[in-house]
Amino acid sequence: MEEVIVSPLFSSALNFLSLGLSVVLLFAVAYLWSSNKNKTDELERIQTELRRVKKILSTLQEKVHEIREPKVVDEVPQAEPFGIDLSEPRPLQITPLAPQDPWLVFIDDFNKLAEDMKNRGQQMKCEKFVREYKLRILTYGGSMIFRPAIDVKDSDYWAFKCFDDEYAVVPNPMNPCDEELHTKGGLKEIFALNYESGVYKKYFVKLPAIFIQDQLKGWSMKSPGVANLERK
């Protein structure tokens, strides 16, 4: 085999490179060892500090427990707002809701019907309304005397039954309010109206007139109604 001859210059270069690599590796090992050592020292320092703080907290809790013993409260004391004496037992007071007037829906539907009187077919609509609400149709004879009417068209007032003998009374919306109806037909006695003169064609009842119907004494007014009149 032929022997390979290496020049002195190349050999020196190889030696120098080998020495350089050795130095670099030495620094790398030293850096890694130093970095790991610093991390280990920092971790040990933190753990030591945590153990010290935990010990201090435990000592403080023991001292607080020695100073104030826990108290078990059987009954929570009742606060007395604004000087009100609550020492005496008070009965539970429940305020009942005000009873709703039984004629509210009836009056709402009546006003819708009265609004529709300017359109055609009003008599059929009124007859249907009287049937649905089972109204008593009445004529007025003066001096708070009422008599049963023959049909809806000829009636002066309609009576909606609220209770056994109590009725909510409204005018027949097909009859315009004129001077005769206002003066002789009972409207001014039965309702508080905004009538002045002439003819008013539309009713808007705010409150019905409440009547008591007795088999022997007849009809007696318990409270007058309130209604607004409109000319058109």
Side-chain angles (χ1 to χ4, degrees):
M1 180 181 291
E2 186 178 355
E3 184 178 357
V4 179
I5 300 174
V6 180
S7 66
L9 181 60
F10 185 70
S11 178
S12 298
L14 288 177
N15 290 334
F16 181 79
L17 180 61
S18 176
L19 179 62
L21 289 175
S22 298
V23 171
V24 170
L25 289 174
L26 179 62
F27 276 105
V29 171
Y31 173 79
L32 291 174
W33 181 83
S34 174
S35 177
N36 290 335
K37 186 175 185 303
N38 289 337
K39 291 181 180 179
T40 302
D41 292 342
E42 183 67 19
L43 182 60
E44 289 180 356
R45 188 184 67 78
I46 293 173
Q47 290 177 347
T48 302
E49 187 66 21
L50 287 175
R51 285 193 294 269
R52 188 178 69 83
V53 172
K54 185 177 180 181
K55 185 176 180 181
I56 293 173
L57 289 176
S58 178
T59 304
L60 289 175
Q61 288 176 353
E62 290 178 0
K63 290 183 179 181
V64 170
H65 183 74
E66 291 175 359
I67 295 172
R68 185 182 63 184
E69 289 292 333
K71 182 180 180 181
V72 179
V73 179
D74 294 331
E75 255 182 50
V76 178
Q78 194 171 21
E80 298 183 2
F82 305 104
I84 299 176
D85 184 13
L86 299 178
S87 58
E88 293 295 330
R90 295 175 179 268
L92 180 62
Q93 296 180 354
I94 300 177
T95 303
L97 295 176
Q100 189 178 39
D101 292 316
W103 44 259
L104 286 177
V105 176
F106 163 69
I107 292 298
D108 185 53
D109 288 343
F110 172 82
N111 288 326
K112 293 176 183 176
L113 177 69
E115 176 69 26
D116 201 35
M117 286 298 97
K118 57 188 176 182
N119 299 323
R120 298 180 61 181
Q122 53 179 293
Q123 183 173 342
M124 294 180 61
K125 294 175 183 177
C126 289
E127 289 174 350
K128 181 181 178 182
F129 185 82
V130 167
R131 287 195 304 269
E132 288 178 349
Y133 276 98
K134 300 178 181 179
L135 305 179
R136 297 184 65 173
I137 54 176
L138 307 169
T139 58
Y140 185 72
S143 302
M144 292 297 168
I145 297 174
F146 295 90
R147 298 184 181 92
I150 296 175
D151 56 38
V152 175
K153 182 180 178 181
D154 296 330
S155 64
D156 297 321
Y157 296 95
W158 298 347
F160 170 75
K161 190 173 185 178
C162 299
F163 303 110
D164 293 337
D165 57 354
E166 187 172 299
Y167 289 81
V169 175
V170 295
N172 183 346
M174 288 188 290
N175 297 332
C177 178
D178 55 13
E179 184 68 32
E180 183 177 359
L181 183 60
H182 180 258
T183 304
K184 299 179 181 180
L187 274 178
K188 70 176 184 178
E189 287 88 9
I190 299 173
F191 288 91
L193 300 167
N194 59 327
Y195 182 83
E196 294 180 357
S197 63
V199 179
Y200 294 79
K201 295 183 178 180
K202 192 173 78 173
Y203 298 89
F204 182 86
V205 175
K206 294 183 176 180
L207 292 174
I210 304 300
F211 277 80
I212 305 298
Q213 201 273 331
D214 186 88
Q215 296 294 334
L216 299 176
K217 298 179 181 180
W219 296 82
S220 59
M221 188 167 64
K222 182 179 178 181
S223 60
V226 179
N228 278 351
L229 302 173
E230 294 184 17
R231 293 191 183 273
K232 57 182 181 177

